[in-house]
Amino acid sequence: MAENILVAVAWPYANADIHVGNIAGAYLPADIFARYHRLRGNRVLMVSGTDAHGTPITVRADSEGRSPEEVYHRFHDRFLELFLRAGLSYDLFTTTHNPNHFRVSQDFFLGLQHNGYLETRTEDQWFSPSEGRFLPDRYVEGECYICHYPSARGDQCDNCGNLLDATQLIRPHARTGGGALELRPTEHFFLDLARLAPELKLYFATGKNHWRPSVLNPSRHSVTQEVLPARAITRDLDWGIPVPVEGWQGKRIYVWFEAVIGYFSASIEWAKRQGNPQAWKDWWYDPAAKTYYFIGKDNIIFHAIFWPAELIGVKRLYEDDPSRTLNLPYDVPANEFLNLEKQKISGSRNWAVWGLDFLDRYDPDPLRFYLTSVMPETRDSEWDWADFVRRNNDELVGTWGNLAHRVLSFAHRHWEGCVPEPGELGPADRALLESILAGYDSVGSLIEAVNLRGALAEALSLARQVNGYLDRAPWFSAIRTDREAAARTVYTALQAIDHLNVIFAPFLPFTAERLHQALGYSAPLFGESRVVQFAEDEGGHKALIYDPSVATGKWQPGHLPPGQALRTPEPLYRKLDDSVVEVERARLGTAP
């Protein structure tokens, strides 16, 4: 029976282009996972969008002398271009800056207030007399009072990863320059996490054995503390979602609170676009549905603690049945960080491999292959250009691409472009196909456990088995001396390649589609993504929408029939020259 699978993907801030660390951290693993489940025949809803309201956007806007909306539009459009070119199959990639998200976020706010989980407090916040305004936490920098990193942000330390109280920073200063800062009182709404703690503890008490220890252990530790501190959910800003309470003009809902609501609001928006406004409930109210949140490790606390707290506190929304409450995260498979050539990725120093820049020179599937090969699932990992070239040439081209191309080319040349008639298969033929067929389960179980790096390694191991089988069979010489034996070998290899292509498809969708067509199939493996203009608002916002209607039920043994016409094959991948390494390394740290 088909399952309902929600794939919720981290929302990128619209203040900078996306680099390979971002792609490996959340976006690519989510897409691999979603594509696999679609092939299994499950009902997948993969949603995300651009985070338009974070203070990183306003900081960038201030530095450029532009409006936050101008900055947001520029990067939002570039995100859409990147995701389309990289093959990220969002059912809906939207934005937090549209009327639907505003309405749903304000409904969450009012629902939590009605249920007694919000309170107002007056707190000290840094005020800049020279600018005449309170400064959001991200506008303040100083020395971390925990690890003493000299450039900690007011909300979080990038060095030790701890959430911070901006008022406790050592030697604080404004990122925007200006004079001395003063602590002044200001009133805000807070989410009362202490009142929600008992239900959070119950949530973490059972059913989390499938969580990664790096996510479960710190989250469980946090909710079992003696007191969970209340967390401010409003800020003194003029960019973002207005607080839906009379007398709170000039303040906005804090981005950490409303951005995670985007998974819910995007589901509602998707359902409306499908012409079935209640369809989102299949993922949010069905207790059998599973919801996965793909994020980087710096966002764990927001998705494993704060977002469940919001869902628990609001209880139900747009649902009259009191027995139905919103589904809490089934899993939060957060990835660690991807470093670059033994250094931390830094956009300001241009020490990064930028997604769009990479795709101007290379194809998307080699990017997806390499990032999956080094995916930082359990520890920080490394992008190394020499390793990229090696894996591309030895594994992607040598192990898989050449296998598919040489067998299809041989069949096309010697059997008039058709799958040969094999006669009765021998023990070695049957043993190979049984091993490859078992790969549906072995690779599939690893993907379901979000062990994508291991799943790709298992798929490569299966491809090596087919290469070994061909090395042992005299198929090249037998075409003249024993055509029937050659036919059996080529037929068996084609069957194995057909299965392997489906197994590789979640990782390598572009070349999988090409190979699928070369094997003579007419219906595509996957649907198509397209960029559309928003219809319901006047802001000119765009969305990425995916049509997965054909991508269902193919993760199962098929049969490539004898006589099926094969199309003229072309190489799937290109071998890279070793000179690429020094050329690309020379680009690092230079002006983009």
Side-chain angles (χ1 to χ4, degrees):
M1 183 176 177
E3 292 184 285
N4 293 324
I5 306 289
L6 177 72
V7 179
V9 194
W11 295 59
Y13 278 134
N15 73 313
D17 279 333
I18 288 172
H19 54 66
V20 293
N22 308 132
I23 298 171
Y27 314 135
L28 178 59
D31 182 69
I32 294 169
F33 189 79
R35 286 180 180 274
Y36 162 77
H37 277 285
R38 292 190 189 109
L39 289 172
R40 285 300 302 257
N42 290 324
R43 298 183 66 221
V44 173
L45 179 58
M46 177 173 162
V47 293
S48 185
T50 293
D51 185 343
H53 299 142
T55 48
I57 292 95
T58 59
V59 170
R60 177 94 186 214
D62 288 348
S63 69
E64 294 182 356
R66 301 175 184 269
S67 72
E69 186 151 6
E70 288 176 307
V71 171
Y72 145 67
H73 273 294
R74 181 169 89 245
F75 286 107
H76 176 67
D77 288 351
R78 290 179 66 80
F79 296 165
L80 296 177
E81 180 188 355
L82 171 64
F83 294 157
L84 194 64
R85 291 173 65 182
L88 302 185
S89 55
Y90 291 96
D91 290 277
L92 178 66
F93 184 88
T94 179
T95 167
T96 59
H97 199 63
N98 72 52
N100 173 72
H101 180 70
F102 274 49
R103 176 181 62 84
V104 175
S105 297
Q106 290 175 333
D107 287 347
F108 252 82
F109 183 101
L110 294 173
L112 287 163
Q113 185 185 42
H114 178 267
N115 292 334
Y117 293 112
L118 299 188
E119 62 183 21
T120 59
R121 292 185 184 182
T122 298
E123 63 167 14
D124 286 338
Q125 188 174 329
W126 290 113
F127 184 86
S128 172
S130 63
E131 299 179 52
R133 61 174 178 171
F134 285 98
L135 297 181
D137 294 342
R138 284 238 177 177
Y139 277 69
V140 182
E141 286 186 351
E143 183 180 329
C144 176
Y145 51 86
I146 297 174
C147 72
H148 299 286
Y149 177 63
S151 301
R153 302 194 313 259
D155 60 343
Q156 189 171 4
C157 177
D158 287 337
N159 185 58
C160 66
N162 284 292
L163 299 179
L164 301 179
D165 178 351
T167 65
Q168 296 185 44
L169 285 177
I170 301 168
R171 290 182 292 279
H173 59 273
R175 293 184 60 174
T176 51
L181 303 182
E182 299 175 1
L183 285 175
R184 292 188 183 181
T186 181
E187 187 177 24
H188 287 293
F189 276 94
F190 283 71
L191 179 62
D192 190 351
L193 290 168
R195 288 197 59 205
L196 291 160
E199 290 185 76
L200 282 171
K201 290 176 183 177
L202 185 63
Y203 168 62
F204 278 103
T206 58
K208 299 289 182 293
N209 291 336
H210 57 283
W211 282 39
R212 293 175 180 172
S214 59
V215 180
L216 179 60
N217 294 340
S219 302
R220 182 174 279 165
H221 173 74
S222 294
V223 301
T224 54
Q225 289 179 1
E226 200 165 305
V227 177
L228 269 176
R231 183 88 177 175
I233 64 168
T234 59
R235 271 295 178 259
D236 295 281
L237 292 168
D238 56 7
W239 172 248
I241 300 176
V243 179
V245 177
E246 188 66 32
W248 284 71
Q249 290 76 14
K251 296 180 189 283
R252 295 293 184 269
I253 297 177
Y254 207 179
V255 66
W256 77 259
F257 175 84
E258 55 101 345
V260 288
I261 297 171
Y263 305 119
F264 184 72
S265 66
S267 303
I268 292 174
E269 181 184 334
W270 169 84
K272 290 179 181 178
R273 289 180 173 276
Q274 299 301 306
N276 184 3
Q278 302 302 309
W280 60 270
K281 294 184 177 181
D282 291 345
W283 288 270
W284 288 96
Y285 281 119
D286 176 7
K290 293 178 179 178
T291 59
Y292 294 81
Y293 292 81
F294 288 84
I295 60 168
K297 67 178 178 181
D298 53 338
N299 273 322
I300 288 174
I301 191 169
F302 297 103
H303 291 76
I305 297 177
F306 295 158
W307 178 227
E310 291 180 49
L311 292 168
I312 290 168
V314 81
K315 299 188 187 302
R316 56 187 178 275
L317 207 63
Y318 317 131
E319 175 61 47
D320 295 331
D321 185 350
S323 68
R324 302 184 77 186
T325 55
L326 291 165
N327 286 334
L328 302 182
Y330 174 77
D331 196 4
V332 184
N335 272 359
E336 306 291 308
F337 291 152
L338 182 74
N339 297 316
L340 172 60
E341 298 283 348
K342 298 182 174 58
Q343 294 185 43
K344 186 175 180 179
I345 291 176
S346 170
S348 63
R349 294 190 295 113
N350 197 36
W351 194 263
V353 177
W354 303 102
L356 284 174
D357 182 59
F358 178 97
L359 292 174
D360 284 340
R361 297 188 303 285
Y362 305 97
D363 295 326
D365 277 356
L367 174 68
R368 295 173 63 108
F369 178 85
Y370 183 63
L371 287 180
T372 307
S373 300
V374 298
M375 194 165 280
E377 293 173 335
T378 57
R379 65 176 72 90
D380 289 356
S381 62
E382 185 98 3
W383 174 294
D384 179 274
W385 275 107
D387 188 46
F388 169 76
V389 171
R390 181 188 66 79
R391 287 182 184 269
N392 179 84
N393 293 349
D394 295 351
E395 297 176 349
L396 187 59
V397 176
T399 300
W400 172 232
N402 285 350
L403 165 64
H405 185 63
R406 64 176 174 148
V407 173
L408 263 75
S409 297
F410 193 79
H412 205 275
R413 185 164 61 251
H414 292 287
W415 283 278
E416 299 179 344
C418 295
V419 178
E421 173 63 55
E424 185 177 351
L425 298 184
D429 311 318
R430 291 193 296 270
L432 175 71
L433 291 181
E434 287 173 5
S435 180
I436 300 302
L437 289 175
Y440 283 103
D441 289 333
S442 60
V443 174
S445 62
L446 288 167
I447 295 177
E448 289 178 17
V450 203
N451 181 356
L452 307 180
R453 189 170 173 168
L456 180 59
E458 175 69 10
L460 277 172
S461 176
L462 294 171
R464 291 187 185 99
Q465 289 185 38
V466 183
N467 281 308
Y469 163 82
L470 290 173
D471 290 344
R472 292 187 297 272
W475 55 303
F476 268 96
S477 58
I479 192 65
R480 295 183 179 86
T481 60
D482 191 345
R483 188 175 177 83
E484 290 184 1
R488 281 196 300 275
T489 299
V490 171
Y491 170 86
T492 301
L494 284 172
Q495 296 295 328
I497 289 167
D498 187 22
H499 293 307
L500 280 175
N501 191 46
V502 175
I503 291 171
F504 274 114
F507 307 97
L508 308 169
F510 292 97
T511 47
E513 201 70 76
R514 285 170 50 201
L515 180 53
H516 189 66
Q517 299 300 312
L519 287 166
Y521 295 104
S522 55
L525 270 173
F526 294 113
E528 295 182 357
S529 294
R530 61 192 188 281
V531 176
V532 301
Q533 202 77 15
F534 274 101
E536 73 270 19
D537 66 51
E538 300 173 355
H541 309 288
K542 295 178 182 177
L544 184 65
I545 295 178
Y546 176 67
D547 178 11
S549 57
V550 297
T552 56
K554 293 187 174 67
W555 191 267
Q556 57 187 354
H559 180 65
L560 191 63
Q564 178 159 304
L566 304 171
R567 299 182 185 177
T568 303
E570 297 179 354
L572 297 176
Y573 313 104
R574 59 189 175 101
K575 190 173 182 179
L576 299 175
D577 191 84
D578 288 341
S579 63
V580 164
V581 177
E582 294 310 314
V583 169
E584 292 295 347
R585 283 176 175 167
R587 296 167 62 92
L588 297 174
T590 61

